[in-house]
Structure formats: C-alpha cells, structure tokens
Amino acid sequence: MASNNYNAKSPSAREFINHDEIMSTLAWARENKNNSELINQILQKASEKKGLGHREAALLLLSGNTDEIFALAREIKREFYGERVVLFAPLYLSNYCVNGCVYCPFNAGNSTMPRRKLTQEEIRREVIALQDMGHKRLALETGEHPEQSPIEYVLESIKTIYSINHKNGAIRRVNVNIAATSVEDYRKLKDAGIGTYLLFQETYHEEAYNKIHPSGPKSDYAYHTEAMDRAMQGGVDDVGLGVLFGLADYAYEFTAMLMHAEHLEAAFGVGPHTLSVPRIRKAQGVEAANFTHGIDDETFARIVACLRISAPYTGIIVSTRESEDCRKKVLDVGVSQISGGSRTSVGGYDVGDNGNCPDTKQFEVNDHRSLDEIVQWLISIGHIPSFCTACYREGRVGDRFMKLCKTGQIQNCCHPNALLTLQEYLLDYSSARTRTAGEELITREILKVPSEKTRGIVLENLEKIKQGSRDFRI
Ligand code: SAM
Ligand code: SF4
C-alpha cells in the first residue's frame, strides 16, 4: 500500500521514513479503530507470532482492544523470552557536546553544565565500581565532540574496558551509544568488538526534529536517520533503534520506528537487535513538562505491548528513566532488558552522585534502587535476572541471531545461560537475601531445561561455578 515516494528499501531517509506514508497510515488507523472485524483479523495474524507491518501495528495501537493486546503481548513475551530479563548499566565517558539538542542538558549552549571527560585511569575506576556491583554488560554514552571525544578516544576506552579483570569481574559486552558517524568509524567500532550500536532517532518527525536540533552535526536529519545503514555497511551486526518519547506524537514515532525496522530488514536482510523506548526526563535546565507530547504510563505500556506484538524477535529496552511501578508493567508486556543501579553523570559510579565532583547528570533517574535490590525485586515478581552475554561472544549476532530467534532455538541456550550467570552474580556480588531467593529460583528453573543432556551440563557447570570457575556458556 505504498503512497508517494515511500520505499522501504531506499537508502534515502525521506523515502524509508516517508512522512506521507506515516500520515496516511495514521489516518487509515484512526478511520478503522472501531472496525472490529479488521482488528480481529490483525489480532489473528499477530497470534501467529511472526510480527506485523507498520499499518497493522498502528491500527492496534490506536484501537480500543486493550485486554486482547496486553494478553497477546504477554504470551509472545513468555514464548520468546521466557521470564528472563537481561541487565546492563550505562557508562558516561564525556559530556562535552557540540550539538544543540534542546531536551538535553549536555547541549553546547548550556554554560552552567560542568564539562567532564574521563581519563583512561578514571574509566578503570568506573568499570571496577560497575564490576563490583555485578555488571557484565555496559552501554557507553558520550556527547558529540570532535576534539574531546573523537573516535580514537572511544576506541581506546573500549579497549581499556575489555582489559579490566578485577576479582571475578569482567565486562563481557560493550554496547555503544555515540553520535551518528561515518562507515569508516563504524568499521573501527566493529573491529573494537562492540556489541550493539545504539542510536536514538529522538524523533522521526522531520519538522519537530529540525526545531529541537537547531545546531551542530546532529541537526542534519537525513545523516542522523541514515546512520544505521552506514553502521551496517561498516559491518556492525547488531543495531539498536530508539525514540525519545515526548518530542512528537507518539503514534507517529511508533509507526516510523517500525518503518525503520522494516527498512533495515528490507535493505540488509536483518532488522534491529533492540528497540529502546526512553521518555524525556527532568534535567538541569530542562523541564520535561515543556514538551507537549508527553505520554502517560498506560499509553507507554500500550506502545511496549504493540512493539512486542509487531517485532517478536527484537529486544525491548527500558532504562531507569522509568519508575519501579512502570518497569513492572512494561516487563510484563514485552520489555526484555533493563538497566540497574545507573548513574547518568560522568564519573558517577566511582564517586557516587553525591561525591565531591560537580554534578554532571544528564537527567534524573526514576528508579534509584541498587543493582542488588533490582535483582531481588525481579526474582520476587517472577522474572529471571540474566547477566548473559553469550550470543554475541559465540557469534550469534545479526542474521544468525535472528534465524535462531525465529526458530525458537535461542530458548535452548538463553534460559540455561541466564541461570549460570545468575549463579555467578549470587556468589560474587549479592546480598544474603538475594542469594537465598536466587538459589531457590535456580533450583526450580533447572527442572525446566527440556533437554536432559543440557540439564546435565548446566548442573555440572553450576557446581564448577560454586568451586570457583567462571564464564560458562551454552
Ligand atoms: N550524544 C549521543 C546522541 O545524542 O546520540 C549519544 C547518546 S546521549 C548521551 C543518550 C540519549 O539520552 C540521547 O539519545 C537522548 O535520547 C537521551 N536524552 C537526552 N536528554 C534526555 C532527557 N532530558 N531525558 C531523557 N533522556 C534524554
Ligand atoms: Fe549532545 Fe547527545 Fe545530549 Fe544531543 S543528546 S546534546 S548530542 S549528548
């Protein structure tokens, strides 16, 4: 149902995220939002668990069928991800920035934001603090600044991070969230062994985009929107899309993000590895309430549920921008990865947010709990906390990962790997209470590993972990 110059395969941002196609999709969805026959057909198709196109997804999002949507999202989440929830933390390297993003306190015009960039020695201290919490997976964050944080600085930092083995700790997967860059730089990131390359579109609505990105390289909408194509051309296997909800109409963003995923699938044969759903938060000099497209928790959960239904094989990430209550709700209907114990300041893990350092926080988090509290909480509400990084280290990335997902095979490794990495966490980092709850969980869950042979290997490896060995994976 193409309109105007919409072309999912095109390399041009304005063709694969085509404004007219989005507007006509939304008009059609609004017209049909009470058409129960059509909605039932779409729900029927969705129940085959092979995903939906952006038009069908937009109609579900705008329809009134809340109970059915949430029930189906829950079912898909359970089938593809079980109860596992993967944990990670952001690590801010530098907040120098040449861009003018009005929602972000790191923007170049904010003269009251203290600027800081970590030295390699400071990165070591941050990483040791993160390892001491139990983290194995990081998302690197920097502002965009050709002099302060050129690609060489990011590459050196990745090397430093991977080189630190402190006690039983090691960061096993470094995901990278840095500004849009060239194919050549993406190739360097790939060679440095990054996990996922994350880049949030912020908003897909070009007019809104131009208004809130008044200056700096990020103000080039097409260059930013086409970044994932360059990343894939540079050999990056896993890319993560995201929208900063609150900047423009949520239904527009939702439809466009799915079109972006369809584009990557059409052009490169593999969709995004993850979808992130950050919402704007209060920050130094930034009032979230000034952004008129804010959404309530109910709508937010509905977006997550519709993403889960539309892209069953794609991870969905939610950060500490969300409260405990909200995270509980969205974990239930689709989220597969969450951050925990996060600091959004440069150097925040080593000194803590209330240390002597000037306050360089990017935004106020909404979930202040420690990683241990989050692990304990996840267990208490029926989830399996996972520190697994196996897929990427076993080369199960990009289209290989997607193929395994689509055939359900990923289940045979993810569940046992979650139990093995949780066991490491319990022995090395957890409180006594979390350990008791975690050990009980492992004892129960081990019985659910279907293959007797795999169960035997897992039991053997759990024993070896108790004897002091580490880093087993299926
Ligand atoms: N500077 C790079 C960029 O802009 O692409 C890297 C990521 S930046 C450190 C991380 C993300 O934080 C941005 O992409 C944006 O979506 C988000 N962000 C900025 N200001 C925020 C705010 N006030 N509340 C919540 N998220 C915010
Ligand atoms: Fe800089 Fe990124 Fe913040 Fe924009 S969102 S001001 S590019 S750090």
Short mmCIF file of all heavy atoms in Angstrom, two decimals, residues 92 94-108 115 142-144 179 202 213 218 244 362, ligand 2:
data_model
loop_
_atom_site.label_atom_id
_atom_site.label_comp_id
_atom_site.label_asym_id
_atom_site.label_seq_id
_atom_site.Cartn_x
_atom_site.Cartn_y
_atom_site.Cartn_z
N TYR A 92 28.86 6.80 31.29
CA TYR A 92 29.06 8.10 30.62
C TYR A 92 30.56 8.42 30.60
O TYR A 92 31.19 8.53 31.65
CB TYR A 92 28.29 9.21 31.36
CG TYR A 92 26.81 9.16 31.05
CD1 TYR A 92 25.99 8.17 31.60
CD2 TYR A 92 26.23 10.08 30.18
CE1 TYR A 92 24.64 8.11 31.28
CE2 TYR A 92 24.88 10.03 29.86
CZ TYR A 92 24.10 9.05 30.42
OH TYR A 92 22.76 8.97 30.10
N SER A 94 31.96 11.11 28.61
CA SER A 94 32.22 12.54 28.44
C SER A 94 30.91 13.26 28.19
O SER A 94 30.03 12.73 27.51
CB SER A 94 33.15 12.73 27.23
OG SER A 94 33.09 14.05 26.77
N ASN A 95 30.80 14.50 28.70
CA ASN A 95 29.58 15.26 28.40
C ASN A 95 29.87 16.53 27.60
O ASN A 95 29.05 17.43 27.54
CB ASN A 95 28.78 15.55 29.67
CG ASN A 95 29.48 16.52 30.59
OD1 ASN A 95 30.63 16.89 30.35
ND2 ASN A 95 28.81 16.95 31.64
N TYR A 96 31.08 16.60 27.00
CA TYR A 96 31.34 17.69 26.06
C TYR A 96 30.48 17.45 24.83
O TYR A 96 30.43 16.32 24.33
CB TYR A 96 32.81 17.70 25.63
CG TYR A 96 33.74 18.21 26.70
CD1 TYR A 96 34.36 17.34 27.59
CD2 TYR A 96 34.02 19.58 26.79
CE1 TYR A 96 35.22 17.81 28.57
CE2 TYR A 96 34.89 20.06 27.77
CZ TYR A 96 35.48 19.17 28.65
OH TYR A 96 36.32 19.64 29.62
N CYS A 97 29.84 18.49 24.33
CA CYS A 97 28.98 18.27 23.16
C CYS A 97 28.88 19.52 22.29
O CYS A 97 28.76 20.63 22.82
CB CYS A 97 27.59 17.82 23.59
SG CYS A 97 26.68 17.11 22.20
N VAL A 98 28.92 19.32 20.99
CA VAL A 98 28.82 20.46 20.07
C VAL A 98 27.40 20.65 19.54
O VAL A 98 27.14 21.57 18.78
CB VAL A 98 29.79 20.28 18.85
CG1 VAL A 98 31.23 20.36 19.30
CG2 VAL A 98 29.51 18.97 18.11
N ASN A 99 26.49 19.78 19.94
CA ASN A 99 25.12 19.86 19.42
C ASN A 99 24.22 20.73 20.29
O ASN A 99 24.55 21.02 21.44
CB ASN A 99 24.53 18.45 19.28
CG ASN A 99 25.17 17.70 18.14
OD1 ASN A 99 25.30 18.24 17.03
ND2 ASN A 99 25.61 16.49 18.38
N GLY A 100 23.06 21.06 19.72
CA GLY A 100 22.17 21.97 20.43
C GLY A 100 20.87 21.34 20.88
O GLY A 100 19.89 22.07 21.12
N CYS A 101 20.81 20.02 21.03
CA CYS A 101 19.57 19.32 21.39
C CYS A 101 18.89 19.99 22.60
O CYS A 101 19.47 19.97 23.70
CB CYS A 101 19.84 17.86 21.72
SG CYS A 101 21.02 17.08 20.61
N VAL A 102 17.70 20.53 22.40
CA VAL A 102 17.11 21.36 23.45
C VAL A 102 16.65 20.55 24.67
O VAL A 102 16.47 21.10 25.76
CB VAL A 102 15.92 22.21 22.92
CG1 VAL A 102 16.38 23.16 21.84
CG2 VAL A 102 14.79 21.33 22.41
N TYR A 103 16.46 19.25 24.51
CA TYR A 103 15.97 18.40 25.62
C TYR A 103 17.12 17.90 26.50
O TYR A 103 16.87 17.27 27.52
CB TYR A 103 15.20 17.19 25.03
CG TYR A 103 15.96 16.53 23.91
CD1 TYR A 103 16.96 15.60 24.16
CD2 TYR A 103 15.72 16.90 22.58
CE1 TYR A 103 17.69 15.04 23.13
CE2 TYR A 103 16.45 16.34 21.54
CZ TYR A 103 17.44 15.41 21.82
OH TYR A 103 18.18 14.88 20.81
N CYS A 104 18.36 18.14 26.09
CA CYS A 104 19.49 17.52 26.78
C CYS A 104 20.39 18.58 27.42
O CYS A 104 20.82 19.52 26.74
CB CYS A 104 20.29 16.68 25.79
SG CYS A 104 21.78 15.97 26.52
N PRO A 105 20.69 18.44 28.70
CA PRO A 105 21.49 19.46 29.39
C PRO A 105 22.95 19.47 28.94
O PRO A 105 23.69 20.38 29.31
CB PRO A 105 21.37 19.06 30.86
CG PRO A 105 21.12 17.60 30.83
CD PRO A 105 20.32 17.34 29.59
N PHE A 106 23.37 18.47 28.19
CA PHE A 106 24.75 18.46 27.68
C PHE A 106 24.89 19.36 26.45
O PHE A 106 25.97 19.48 25.89
CB PHE A 106 25.18 17.03 27.29
CG PHE A 106 25.30 16.05 28.43
CD1 PHE A 106 25.42 14.68 28.18
CD2 PHE A 106 25.29 16.48 29.75
CE1 PHE A 106 25.53 13.77 29.21
CE2 PHE A 106 25.39 15.56 30.81
CZ PHE A 106 25.51 14.20 30.54
N ASN A 107 23.79 19.98 25.99
CA ASN A 107 23.87 20.74 24.74
C ASN A 107 24.88 21.88 24.86
O ASN A 107 25.10 22.45 25.93
CB ASN A 107 22.48 21.22 24.28
CG ASN A 107 21.97 22.40 25.08
OD1 ASN A 107 22.53 23.48 25.04
ND2 ASN A 107 20.91 22.16 25.83
N ALA A 108 25.49 22.21 23.72
CA ALA A 108 26.64 23.12 23.68
C ALA A 108 26.34 24.49 24.32
O ALA A 108 27.22 25.12 24.89
CB ALA A 108 27.08 23.31 22.24
N ARG A 115 31.65 20.55 32.52
CA ARG A 115 32.05 19.57 31.50
C ARG A 115 33.14 18.68 32.04
O ARG A 115 34.07 19.14 32.73
CB ARG A 115 32.56 20.28 30.24
CG ARG A 115 31.55 21.22 29.63
CD ARG A 115 30.38 20.48 28.99
NE ARG A 115 29.24 21.40 28.79
CZ ARG A 115 28.18 21.10 28.07
NH1 ARG A 115 28.07 19.91 27.49
NH2 ARG A 115 27.18 21.95 27.94
N THR A 142 28.42 9.08 25.20
CA THR A 142 29.22 10.31 25.15
C THR A 142 28.42 11.39 24.45
O THR A 142 27.55 11.09 23.63
CB THR A 142 30.53 10.17 24.32
OG1 THR A 142 30.18 9.95 22.96
CG2 THR A 142 31.43 9.09 24.82
N GLY A 143 28.81 12.65 24.71
CA GLY A 143 28.33 13.75 23.88
C GLY A 143 29.13 13.69 22.58
O GLY A 143 30.10 12.94 22.47
N GLU A 144 28.71 14.51 21.61
CA GLU A 144 29.45 14.53 20.34
C GLU A 144 30.43 15.70 20.36
O GLU A 144 30.01 16.86 20.50
CB GLU A 144 28.46 14.68 19.17
CG GLU A 144 29.18 14.73 17.82
CD GLU A 144 28.23 14.62 16.63
OE1 GLU A 144 27.00 14.72 16.83
OE2 GLU A 144 28.73 14.45 15.50
N ALA A 179 27.24 9.47 18.84
CA ALA A 179 26.60 10.18 17.73
C ALA A 179 26.79 9.47 16.39
O ALA A 179 27.77 8.74 16.20
CB ALA A 179 27.20 11.57 17.64
N GLU A 202 15.53 10.05 18.41
CA GLU A 202 14.90 11.15 19.17
C GLU A 202 13.49 11.36 18.62
O GLU A 202 12.55 10.94 19.24
CB GLU A 202 15.72 12.45 19.15
CG GLU A 202 17.24 12.28 19.27
CD GLU A 202 17.74 11.57 20.54
OE1 GLU A 202 16.92 11.09 21.32
OE2 GLU A 202 18.98 11.49 20.73
N HIS A 213 16.71 20.39 17.19
CA HIS A 213 18.15 20.21 16.94
C HIS A 213 18.62 21.40 16.10
O HIS A 213 18.90 21.26 14.91
CB HIS A 213 18.40 18.89 16.20
CG HIS A 213 17.97 17.69 16.98
ND1 HIS A 213 16.82 17.00 16.73
CD2 HIS A 213 18.55 17.08 18.04
CE1 HIS A 213 16.69 16.00 17.60
NE2 HIS A 213 17.73 16.03 18.41
N LYS A 218 24.30 17.06 14.51
CA LYS A 218 23.08 16.27 14.70
C LYS A 218 21.86 16.94 14.07
O LYS A 218 20.80 16.32 13.93
CB LYS A 218 22.87 16.02 16.21
CG LYS A 218 21.84 14.95 16.53
CD LYS A 218 21.91 14.53 17.98
CE LYS A 218 20.72 13.72 18.43
NZ LYS A 218 20.84 13.35 19.85
N LEU A 244 12.87 9.10 21.53
CA LEU A 244 12.73 9.78 22.83
C LEU A 244 11.28 10.26 22.91
O LEU A 244 10.92 11.30 22.34
CB LEU A 244 13.73 10.94 22.92
CG LEU A 244 13.80 11.69 24.26
CD1 LEU A 244 14.13 10.75 25.43
CD2 LEU A 244 14.84 12.81 24.20
N GLN A 362 23.02 13.67 33.30
CA GLN A 362 22.29 14.00 32.07
C GLN A 362 20.80 14.21 32.36
O GLN A 362 20.16 15.09 31.80
CB GLN A 362 22.46 12.91 31.01
CG GLN A 362 21.97 13.39 29.64
CD GLN A 362 21.87 12.29 28.61
OE1 GLN A 362 21.81 11.12 28.93
NE2 GLN A 362 21.84 12.67 27.35
FE1 SF4 B 2 24.83 16.02 22.86
FE2 SF4 B 2 23.62 13.63 22.66
FE3 SF4 B 2 22.86 15.40 24.53
FE4 SF4 B 2 22.35 15.89 22.00
S1 SF4 B 2 21.53 14.16 23.22
S2 SF4 B 2 23.20 17.37 23.47
S3 SF4 B 2 24.12 15.03 21.00
S4 SF4 B 2 24.81 14.37 24.40
#
